[in-house]
Amino acid sequence: MACIVKQKVGNNTYLYESTSYRNSEGKPRNKRCLIGKINRETG
């Protein structure tokens, strides 16, 4: 399952695409792929 995640780092906010999966031991994990930074003035 994939979803979009907002994460604030310092004064900047970034968007990531997060994909959840289970590893070979059956434990839940996720991978994140950076989409980009949100512009503070325009959103």
Side-chain angles (χ1 to χ4, degrees):
M1 182 171 125
C3 63
I4 305 297
V5 178
K6 276 187 187 179
Q7 183 175 8
K8 186 167 181 166
V9 179
N11 292 331
N12 299 315
T13 303
Y14 295 92
L15 288 178
Y16 293 90
E17 180 183 17
S18 177
T19 305
S20 300
Y21 66 97
R22 291 195 178 260
N23 65 9
S24 60
E25 298 171 356
K27 295 183 179 180
R29 300 283 184 221
N30 64 7
K31 288 185 181 180
R32 283 188 174 184
C33 180
L34 178 64
I35 296 172
K37 184 167 81 170
I38 297 177
N39 188 334
R40 283 190 253 167
E41 289 80 31
T42 62

